[in-house]
Amino acid sequence: MKYTKDEIAGLIESHPSNHIKVAVTDIDGVLRGKLISKKIFLKALHSGTGFCNVIFGWDVNDNVYEDSKVTGWHTGFPDSKVTIDPGTFRAIPWENDTPFFLADFNQSKELSGVCPRSLLKKVEKECHSMGYRPFFSSEYEWYNFSETPQSLSEKGGVNPTPFTPGMFGYSMLRASQQNDYFNALAEELSLFHVPVEGIHTETGDGVYEACIEYTTVLEAADRSVLFKNGVKEIASRFDIMPSFMAKWNNHLPGSGGHIHQSLWDEDGSKNLFYDEERKEKYSELMEHYIAGQLHCLPYILPLYAPTVNSYKRFVSGSWASTSVSWAVDNRTTALRVIASGPEAARLETRVPGADANPYLAIAAALASGLYGIKNRLTLNTPQTEGNEYSRDTSEQLPATLKDATEKMKASDLPAELFGKAFTEHFIYTREWEWKQFSQAVTDWELKRYFEII
């Protein structure tokens, strides 16, 4: 249910909690927030509140960027104003129903152009201006470990212990053996207004997959961010540590963060991706949308695969896409068309990993699909028949974050889709990420070279 600011004020004034949680999302999709008093919240609800803009001046490990133009030591890291979105109101069931809200930097002159949530709102607005109503959902795979932050730190941050052993995809047994945790995820997330349509074990040691219910595009991204953070908070109660990194072990499948999407008419009554009269049942509009995603994919890949580790997931035979490809109901391709009926017809973008920032991955999918519609792109890429991994004629995805970022930087397309300010800042942060990796001495190097060289 969506509330006005006045309705929210009334609810908060009568709420037994004296404090409220407010959070924003940084460029990496990490939820950053704080607890504020009821008095401060009620004032901030109408006038906004400040967050130190270092949120966009450091990386995922809080290391300050050296040469970021957006903010840095040269700006003194001032507070930037955020707008609390009353429509995101939730009560946190595992924290005595503490009220919770999301915010974004749409009031901040210096940060509005790089704020991921603000970017998605901009793409959504464009979609509505074209006469379409976008509906999206996400599904996530993630691994669970019998660790706490303290126990993993004592191991030096490596060799986590999976909380169940063995390759048990769709296992009723493994789910039953961890039923308290398994059921808590399904029930408590739904109470948190992150409705989980289904949850099951995947193939791999201690890995789960969950599908989040379809909804409007911004709400879908909000749910995705809150799902990932919520899973971690619920898991900690059971001394379990989840990980959404794309590929934690090279012997096991990676973790996907697939995006399901469709465009409907303005009042949301007709799915425009479905056409009963056509043989394959997917519409001409959907063809343009697919063509747009395929055309843009090589130039915006870092939005789907933002970390060094992301690219370890793109392995043949691993359930992850490796090429610019599409097909009907085929899980070896980048794009999977599902045209099973007027309600369910949709596109599944299988490229993103679970490590992607949901706002950016969803914005990338929608913006590139709309690009295909605006330019009436023809779907020239042949549909894959059978195993895409065995084809040697498809364009392959860039193999590293460095390659993908360089390809993004060399193209004018990302700035056309997302704006110059965001594109330049995002590219800089991915170059920074690769630089940090390049300077690190890894366990692999020590094992390979320490004695023998």
Side-chain angles (χ1 to χ4, degrees):
M1 180 177 179
K2 299 298 184 182
Y3 298 95
T4 66
K5 289 183 179 180
D6 289 339
E7 289 171 334
I8 288 295
L11 288 169
I12 296 302
E13 284 175 344
S14 61
H15 198 281
S17 176
N18 289 316
H19 290 84
I20 293 88
K21 281 193 169 182
V22 178
V24 296
T25 307
D26 68 11
I27 203 74
D28 289 288
V30 177
L31 205 59
R32 309 269 189 175
K34 56 187 177 180
L35 194 69
I36 61 177
S37 70
K38 183 181 292 188
K39 179 181 178 181
I40 295 297
F41 173 83
L42 291 171
K43 182 180 179 181
L45 184 62
H46 293 281
S47 61
T49 188
F51 270 78
C52 177
N53 72 12
V54 73
I55 287 171
F56 291 102
W58 61 18
D59 65 16
V60 70
N61 286 141
D62 294 4
N63 295 314
V64 174
Y65 298 132
E66 291 175 354
D67 299 309
S68 171
K69 295 178 181 178
V70 171
T71 189
W73 296 119
H74 64 286
T75 68
F77 293 117
D79 278 353
S80 291
K81 187 167 285 190
V82 301
T83 301
I84 296 171
D85 186 340
T88 63
F89 170 56
R90 288 159 166 83
I92 308 174
W94 54 89
E95 290 188 10
N96 298 317
D97 287 335
T98 298
F100 176 92
F101 294 84
L102 287 166
D104 51 57
F105 288 87
N106 60 2
Q107 290 190 57
S108 170
K109 181 180 178 181
E110 66 275 15
L111 299 185
S112 61
V114 301
C115 171
R117 192 168 190 268
S118 297
L119 176 68
L120 180 55
K121 288 166 75 173
K122 178 182 175 183
V123 177
E124 181 186 30
K125 183 178 180 181
E126 179 185 14
C127 187
H128 283 289
S129 73
M130 294 172 65
Y132 309 123
R133 189 174 182 188
F135 284 85
F136 275 64
S137 70
S138 300
E139 58 179 88
Y140 284 103
E141 299 156 342
W142 78 98
Y143 284 81
N144 299 276
F145 301 90
S146 295
E147 301 285 356
T148 65
Q150 291 74 24
S151 68
L152 190 60
S153 177
E154 289 168 2
K155 291 181 175 182
V158 297
N159 299 320
T161 301
F163 88 141
T164 57
M167 309 291 274
F168 280 83
Y170 293 98
S171 171
M172 298 300 290
L173 175 63
R174 282 290 187 257
S176 176
Q177 289 170 337
Q178 300 292 337
N179 68 303
D180 287 346
Y181 172 53
F182 196 83
N183 292 332
L185 289 174
E187 295 298 325
E188 295 180 30
L189 285 166
S190 292
L191 289 171
F192 191 46
H193 298 295
V194 181
V196 175
E197 285 191 332
I199 182 170
H200 60 85
T201 63
E202 259 290 358
T203 182
D205 296 339
V207 60
Y208 283 173
E209 178 176 352
C211 302
I212 306 171
E213 190 176 288
Y214 234 58
T215 185
T216 54
V217 64
L218 183 62
E219 175 66 14
D222 288 343
R223 289 178 180 180
S224 299
V225 167
L226 298 177
F227 173 85
K228 292 172 67 174
N229 195 73
V231 166
K232 294 174 185 178
E233 292 187 0
I234 293 169
S236 66
R237 196 167 76 236
F238 297 88
D239 288 335
I240 293 170
M241 181 177 283
S243 175
F244 288 87
M245 70 182 295
K247 187 87 168 178
W248 89 271
N249 185 308
N250 67 326
H251 300 297
L252 295 171
S255 294
H258 304 159
I259 300 169
H260 293 254
Q261 66 234 252
S262 57
L263 298 183
W264 294 58
D265 59 7
E266 289 181 294
D267 61 5
S269 62
K270 181 181 180 181
N271 186 348
L272 301 178
F273 276 4
Y274 185 75
D275 188 341
E276 179 67 36
E277 302 301 317
R278 305 186 93 210
K279 180 181 178 181
E280 295 280 10
K281 305 303 182 186
Y282 55 83
S283 67
E284 183 180 359
L285 183 80
M286 189 178 186
E287 284 193 7
H288 293 317
Y289 190 93
I290 294 168
Q293 284 206 5
L294 292 173
H295 175 78
C296 298
L297 177 56
Y299 309 105
I300 62 173
L301 183 59
L303 291 160
Y304 297 132
T307 72
V308 172
N309 179 254
S310 301
Y311 297 79
K312 306 293 177 68
R313 178 174 154 263
F314 299 145
V315 178
S316 177
S318 68
W319 298 97
S321 50
T322 59
S323 62
V324 181
S325 54
W326 76 281
V328 174
D329 205 8
N330 187 328
R331 288 182 167 87
T332 69
T333 55
L335 305 182
R336 173 183 170 230
V337 175
I338 304 163
S340 53
E343 295 295 321
R346 63 194 186 274
L347 180 67
E348 179 188 16
T349 303
R350 296 178 55 80
V351 178
D355 57 341
N357 181 332
Y359 294 111
L360 300 186
I362 288 175
L366 181 56
S368 57
L370 294 177
Y371 180 88
I373 293 172
K374 285 185 293 185
N375 293 282
R376 298 191 61 80
L377 297 186
T378 303
L379 187 51
N380 293 322
T381 305
Q383 180 180 175
T384 297
E385 300 292 341
N387 183 8
E388 172 64 23
Y389 297 128
S390 66
R391 296 182 66 187
D392 56 10
T393 56
S394 299
E395 179 182 357
Q396 298 300 296
L397 297 176
T400 66
L401 178 61
K402 181 177 185 291
D403 292 342
T405 304
E406 287 177 349
K407 197 171 187 70
M408 186 175 184
K409 190 173 184 177
S411 172
D412 293 330
L413 185 59
E416 181 180 346
L417 296 177
F418 312 115
K420 183 178 178 182
F422 170 81
T423 301
E424 289 184 350
H425 180 66
F426 182 75
I427 288 172
Y428 171 77
T429 66
R430 296 312 97 190
E431 290 175 334
W432 170 273
E433 196 73 13
W434 183 259
K435 180 181 178 182
Q436 306 316 297
F437 168 71
S438 301
Q439 293 173 344
V441 177
T442 66
D443 288 349
W444 183 89
E445 292 168 280
L446 288 171
K447 291 175 183 177
R448 193 171 185 87
Y449 305 125
F450 186 83
E451 180 183 9
I452 199 68
I453 292 297

